Amino acid sequence: MADIKKIIERVYQDFNPDKISNVPDILEKYQGNEAELLLKLSQKYDVRLENYISIDCLNLVTAILNKYDRENALTAATLVDAYKGREKDLLFSLGKKYNSNFNDLIIAIFVTGSPLTEPVKNITPAVIENITAYSRENQRTEEPSTGRSSKSLIYIIVAIAFIIIVAIILFAGGVFKSGNKTESQAKNPNVAVDEHIENKDLGEDVFAPKIRATIHAYYSDLTAGTFNAANYFADQVERFITMLNTTPQTINSYINTSYYKEFVNGKSEIEDGSFVVTKEAGGRYSAEYIENGSCYRTSLHKYQHTRAHVRVILNPDFKIVFFQQDKLLENEYSTSPPGNVSKSTSQTASNQTEVQNNSGSFYIISAAAVNTESQAKAKSSELRSAGNSTGYLWIPDYASLSGAKLYCVYIGPFSTQNDCEIATENYRKTHPEAYGLLVSQERKRVQINGIGKVVTTRR
């Protein structure tokens, strides 16, 4: 139990940093009842404890099979060997199969040691029942040998079981499958995880194919007008574009009432070679890529092409909890429809990368004004590290701004005034000095201080 303090501190660091200073008092309160403390924390914060507690994978898999599939408990070692170096993938797949996070078994193994020899005290009856069942399996003693024939029979049974399990693993990994996935499988975001375990797409993370298929299906449904946010988003979404702490229902409302009216015939694609997946704490996945988009903007009466860096975060169930264009690389307008939306990865970005292209109008939240471009880059980086979509611009480039020879560091951009009003209202709760602005070549200043708080003056 020497590591219990570090484990509790790591959990609080990820889910409630304000509690870290209270860890010594909490441990003193639960001294002798550490299992109960771990159980309560895992339930309160929906923690997957394998990310915080290091235990022997074979012991855990054996406990899992003893609880959920006792007939195959003897195959635990075979499974662990097959997933050597990818133990978390094995646990994730078993979790999906048995609909459990196995926190009760993890706590039991951690508290009692390995292997389990007796029930854990001071923990819920359900956990005690699981631990006791596991203990009974491990306390069984082998019967005396009854001769060579009995041993041979055991060897034959083990050999047959081994062959069957290996065949199952190979089949699940796709060794006995032929041909490519159907188009419907590629678009289905709920395709079984196990089908992708062995599919490493050009060195990407093993789950990248499923994540890419989910995002591709998201764009396809958005383009086809069949979009339903519940298919792709978690029940609680940290961020969707400029919307914070939102839900699939609210996202659907935005798509149907605003998005389709403003962005007509919209189409977005993932730029080839740009898709990268990384694992994050808590079993989440981060996907970053370049999005090429085109549409007709009704408010501007122009066709628009954009090229943007996008970051998407998915939870362990592959539901989106964060979706943001965090950097606009290109923003072009024309009076005629654009050609093919896809662009070669060899194409260079516009001559302004972090600086917003000044050919059209857009809305921003003015966060700071600085003298030099290096200061603007530093401030923009600071805002981005805090989770904001940000950039900077040279104020004299735009007729609607003050003309001061300064760089404006902004949050955004936002395509509509309504989006900017909502975002400004939220941001000013913690930064009352900030305000929204229309950025354009029209000599008209539009300052936004919140929802419905807009002042327009001619310059």
Side-chain angles (χ1 to χ4, degrees), residues 21-217:
S21 60
N22 298 337
V23 168
D25 294 335
I26 293 171
L27 288 174
E28 183 178 354
K29 177 181 177 181
Y30 283 90
Q31 185 174 3
N33 300 317
E34 288 83 0
E36 181 182 358
L37 172 59
L38 287 170
L39 186 66
K40 285 183 176 180
L41 286 178
S42 68
Q43 292 172 340
K44 181 175 182 178
Y45 298 115
D46 194 21
V47 175
R48 294 184 65 93
L49 287 177
E50 74 265 23
N51 295 319
Y52 298 88
I53 299 177
S54 297
I55 59 174
D56 184 79
C57 185
L58 177 57
N59 286 333
L60 178 55
V61 172
T62 302
I64 291 169
L65 294 179
N66 269 318
K67 179 178 179 180
Y68 295 98
D69 191 4
R70 190 165 297 179
E71 292 181 0
N72 289 316
L74 292 175
T75 67
T78 303
L79 281 173
V80 172
D81 285 342
Y83 281 83
K84 189 173 182 179
R86 298 185 294 122
E87 288 80 3
K88 285 193 176 182
D89 295 339
L90 172 59
L91 294 179
F92 188 87
S93 297
L94 291 173
K96 295 284 285 186
K97 181 176 181 180
Y98 299 121
N99 192 30
S100 174
N101 57 22
F102 309 128
N103 283 344
D104 55 343
L105 299 176
I106 292 170
I107 293 171
I109 294 173
F110 175 72
V111 171
T112 64
S114 175
L116 294 174
T117 57
E118 60 183 32
V120 176
K121 299 178 181 179
N122 300 317
I123 199 166
T124 63
V127 176
I128 292 176
E129 181 183 349
N130 294 332
I131 298 169
T132 304
Y134 181 79
S135 299
R136 285 198 299 267
E137 290 298 316
N138 281 275
Q139 290 172 354
R140 289 178 180 175
T141 58
E142 292 185 1
E143 294 182 2
S145 174
T146 57
R148 184 175 180 179
S149 59
S150 296
K151 287 186 178 180
S152 299
L153 181 59
I154 292 173
Y155 293 151
I156 292 171
I157 292 173
V158 171
I160 292 174
F162 178 81
I163 293 172
I164 292 173
I165 294 304
V166 170
I168 292 172
I169 293 172
L170 292 175
F171 185 85
V175 173
F176 296 139
K177 297 180 182 180
S178 60
N180 297 323
K181 294 181 177 66
T182 64
E183 183 176 355
S184 61
Q185 286 175 315
K187 289 184 177 181
N188 183 6
N190 297 315
V191 65
V193 174
D194 287 347
E195 292 182 8
H196 295 291
I197 292 294
E198 297 297 333
N199 185 7
K200 295 186 178 181
D201 185 12
L202 300 178
E204 294 174 348
D205 184 274
V206 290
F207 292 110
K210 177 177 177 61
I211 294 171
R212 181 170 183 142
T214 298
I215 297 173
H216 174 75

Side-chain angles (χ1 to χ4, degrees), residues 103-343:
N103 283 344
D104 55 343
L105 299 176
I106 292 170
I107 293 171
I109 294 173
F110 175 72
V111 171
T112 64
S114 175
L116 294 174
T117 57
E118 60 183 32
V120 176
K121 299 178 181 179
N122 300 317
I123 199 166
T124 63
V127 176
I128 292 176
E129 181 183 349
N130 294 332
I131 298 169
T132 304
Y134 181 79
S135 299
R136 285 198 299 267
E137 290 298 316
N138 281 275
Q139 290 172 354
R140 289 178 180 175
T141 58
E142 292 185 1
E143 294 182 2
S145 174
T146 57
R148 184 175 180 179
S149 59
S150 296
K151 287 186 178 180
S152 299
L153 181 59
I154 292 173
Y155 293 151
I156 292 171
I157 292 173
V158 171
I160 292 174
F162 178 81
I163 293 172
I164 292 173
I165 294 304
V166 170
I168 292 172
I169 293 172
L170 292 175
F171 185 85
V175 173
F176 296 139
K177 297 180 182 180
S178 60
N180 297 323
K181 294 181 177 66
T182 64
E183 183 176 355
S184 61
Q185 286 175 315
K187 289 184 177 181
N188 183 6
N190 297 315
V191 65
V193 174
D194 287 347
E195 292 182 8
H196 295 291
I197 292 294
E198 297 297 333
N199 185 7
K200 295 186 178 181
D201 185 12
L202 300 178
E204 294 174 348
D205 184 274
V206 290
F207 292 110
K210 177 177 177 61
I211 294 171
R212 181 170 183 142
T214 298
I215 297 173
H216 174 75
Y218 162 91
Y219 284 131
S220 296
D221 282 353
L222 200 60
T223 299
T226 57
F227 181 80
N228 182 359
N231 291 336
Y232 303 102
F233 289 87
D235 292 338
Q236 287 294 321
V237 181
E238 298 166 16
R239 184 184 190 115
F240 174 67
I241 312 299
T242 61
M243 300 162 61
L244 303 177
N245 299 320
T246 187
T247 63
Q249 294 78 11
T250 303
I251 294 173
N252 273 336
S253 177
Y254 162 74
I255 294 295
N256 291 318
T257 60
S258 300
Y259 177 86
Y260 283 133
K261 291 180 181 179
E262 174 64 21
F263 304 94
V264 178
N265 295 327
K267 184 178 181 181
S268 298
E269 294 179 353
I270 299 172
E271 186 173 283
D272 292 341
S274 69
F275 196 82
V276 177
V277 168
T278 55
K279 288 186 178 181
E280 295 196 342
R284 307 204 311 180
Y285 299 88
S286 174
E288 297 186 50
Y289 56 91
I290 304 300
E291 172 198 273
N292 287 293
S294 67
C295 67
Y296 179 78
R297 293 287 301 278
T298 54
S299 65
L300 304 175
H301 305 293
K302 291 181 180 180
Y303 293 93
Q304 182 181 24
H305 167 76
T306 59
R307 185 170 176 266
H309 181 272
V310 176
R311 184 169 183 240
V312 181
I313 299 176
L314 302 92
N315 66 17
D317 294 324
F318 297 97
K319 292 288 189 176
I320 297 171
V321 296
F322 183 98
F323 191 109
Q324 180 187 23
Q325 284 187 351
D326 60 2
K327 186 184 296 184
L328 191 61
L329 304 177
E330 296 179 26
N331 185 31
E332 302 170 356
Y333 294 92
S334 66
T335 56
S336 58
N340 185 6
V341 67
S342 296
K343 294 197 173 186

Side-chain angles (χ1 to χ4, degrees), residues 383-413:
L383 290 171
R384 186 175 297 111
S385 65
N388 298 295
S389 174
T390 182
Y392 62 90
L393 54 80
W394 177 241
I395 291 176
D397 283 345
Y398 298 90
S400 65
L401 303 182
S402 67
K405 294 182 178 180
L406 297 170
Y407 288 92
C408 173
V409 182
Y410 64 79
I411 292 173

